[in-house]
Amino acid sequence: MTTEIAPPRMRIVRHPLKYRLLEVKQVHRITPGTVRVTFAGEALEGFCEQAPTDHVKLCFAEPGTELPVEPVIENDTWMDAPVEPITRDYTIRHHRRAEREIDVDMVLHGTGVGSGWAAAAEPGMTLGVLGPRGSEVIDFVHDWYLLGAEETALPALARWIEMLPAGVRVIAFAEVSGPQDEQRFETAADLTMTWLHRGDAPSGSTDLLERAIRAAELPDGMGFAWVAGEATSLKPIRRHLREDRNLHRHQVDVDGYWKRGVENHDHHEDDEHEHA
Ligand SMILES: Cc1cc2nc3c(=O)[nH]c(=O)nc-3n(C[C@H](O)[C@H](O)[C@H](O)COP(=O)(O)OP(=O)(O)OC[C@H]3O[C@@H](n4cnc5c(N)ncnc54)[C@H](O)[C@@H]3O)c2cc1C
């Protein structure tokens, strides 16, 4: 008789919820479509991050005002309030603890408060940063990792690649518009990185990631798959990983970071983000 061993679960490590006002120290176009914004300030004392997908809520000012509405936090909980801040989720690309700095890579996709702010960002500007609320920690005990992303999830994909231990097999796919949007990541892992170019097709409209993942040859042993990007295009990928690849739900984390035609998509609203 064989006993099936359940794969390790992702666990949430909570951090004290804190709102910080931070100043933009530097703005740098890392690719034609993405701006890296470095935020700095003594307020970053005690800032916590530890997992690849750790993210914050950037809080933007209402049009015509200078500072964002401050979120009401009581007993470590973000309370409902008559006036709420305008927020969007962004990954912490780098955290330089000693320098009290974080980098956030913001995609310039056209419309939207986040994209618009990033396009106009300059040193000296101020922004609110809420969180991170917690870290989704997965022990790096798997034999292989399958990673997939488009531009908004490249910061998290980069963190996965940089954090995974030496020698572990990593098969990664990243969809961008063209070679000009590719990035280079340092890693100790045994990485096979494939860039997929969608050309003039709008982001979130192709099945490039799906086709690449379907065609991927995955190693033997226990693996973990993380894929993030446009919510609707990820649905068949999640289904494929669970049903065709027969991966247990604790081996799959597929997260809709945004949704075509939807402002401020809530990535917790649907079941794309299944791992708990
Ligand atoms: C956990 C998490 C981490 C994230 N990390 C990052 C990150 O590091 N960098 C980053 O750039 N984004 C990241 N995102 C995605 C980002 O939060 C969304 O793209 C968000 O919608 C941007 O806000 P906005 O104000 O620019 O657009 P919104 O006001 O939310 O949307 C306006 C319109 O733009 C469309 N839209 C939104 N995003 C895109 C896009 N990328 N391409 C084309 N159309 C789009 C919407 O469908 C909508 O029609 C992350 C999301 C999550 C959930």
Side-chain angles (χ1 to χ4, degrees):
M1 192 179 85
T2 54
T3 317
E4 212 172 286
I5 301 169
R9 293 173 73 105
M10 189 177 269
R11 59 184 196 282
I12 309 288
V13 176
R14 289 278 177 203
H15 306 304
L17 187 60
K18 199 165 168 183
Y19 175 71
R20 299 169 162 93
L21 266 185
L22 297 177
E23 191 173 302
V24 175
K25 183 175 175 187
Q26 212 176 328
V27 179
H28 172 51
R29 258 309 154 111
I30 53 168
T31 65
T34 300
V35 165
R36 173 161 299 163
V37 183
T38 301
F39 295 97
E42 286 307 311
L44 280 168
E45 167 73 36
F47 187 84
C48 303
E49 49 78 34
Q50 67 184 91
T53 57
D54 281 2
H55 54 279
V56 288
K57 284 198 180 294
L58 295 185
C59 304
F60 302 91
E62 295 283 345
T65 65
E66 210 170 300
L67 291 179
V69 171
E70 184 167 343
V72 177
I73 299 169
E74 281 174 20
N75 297 325
D76 208 28
T77 305
W78 183 12
M79 309 298 286
D80 288 337
V83 194
E84 302 275 10
I86 303 168
T87 66
R88 298 289 186 271
D89 289 321
Y90 283 88
T91 303
I92 305 146
R93 176 66 185 89
H94 300 113
H95 174 209
R96 291 177 291 281
R97 193 176 302 277
E99 289 87 355
R100 311 247 198 284
E101 289 177 6
I102 55 170
D103 292 336
V104 176
D105 291 354
M106 304 178 73
V107 173
L108 305 171
H109 61 82
T111 50
V113 63
S115 176
W117 184 90
E122 283 180 1
M125 285 165 68
T126 302
L127 206 63
V129 176
L130 179 63
R133 184 68 190 105
S135 298
E136 294 172 342
V137 177
I138 179 98
D139 294 326
F140 296 147
V141 295
H142 304 82
D143 301 303
W144 54 265
Y145 293 80
L146 171 70
L147 308 176
E150 47 68 88
E151 283 93 335
T152 61
L154 270 186
L157 181 130
R159 285 172 62 94
W160 272 106
I161 286 172
E162 289 164 359
M163 284 182 181
L164 283 166
V168 70
R169 277 291 285 133
V170 182
I171 298 115
F173 297 101
E175 181 193 314
V176 293
S177 58
Q180 69 282 1
D181 289 307
E182 294 181 8
Q183 298 181 41
R184 291 189 70 80
F185 309 123
E186 299 294 323
T187 183
D190 175 11
L191 169 70
T192 306
M193 177 91 215
T194 305
W195 292 92
L196 309 165
H197 299 153
R198 68 173 167 270
D200 293 333
S203 49
S205 72
T206 80
D207 61 357
L208 283 173
L209 269 178
E210 183 194 344
R211 281 193 282 132
I213 288 171
R214 279 185 185 278
E217 251 184 61
L218 299 179
D220 291 336
M222 187 185 54
F224 185 84
W226 173 86
V227 188
E230 198 281 327
T232 308
S233 69
L234 295 184
K235 280 187 181 188
I237 297 178
R238 178 168 153 270
R239 216 174 305 125
H240 165 69
L241 293 170
R242 294 290 309 282
E243 293 172 13
D244 306 333
R245 300 285 188 170
N246 213 16
L247 295 177
H248 188 279
R249 69 190 184 97
H250 296 156
Q251 292 173 275
V252 175
D253 181 8
V254 175
D255 198 354
Y257 272 16
W258 61 281
K259 197 169 187 172
R260 285 189 84 191
V262 176
E263 196 175 285
N264 196 20
H265 169 66
D266 177 1
H267 72 133
H268 294 296
E269 109 189 341
D270 46 33
D271 60 0
E272 295 294 326
H273 193 41
E274 181 178 348
H275 54 71

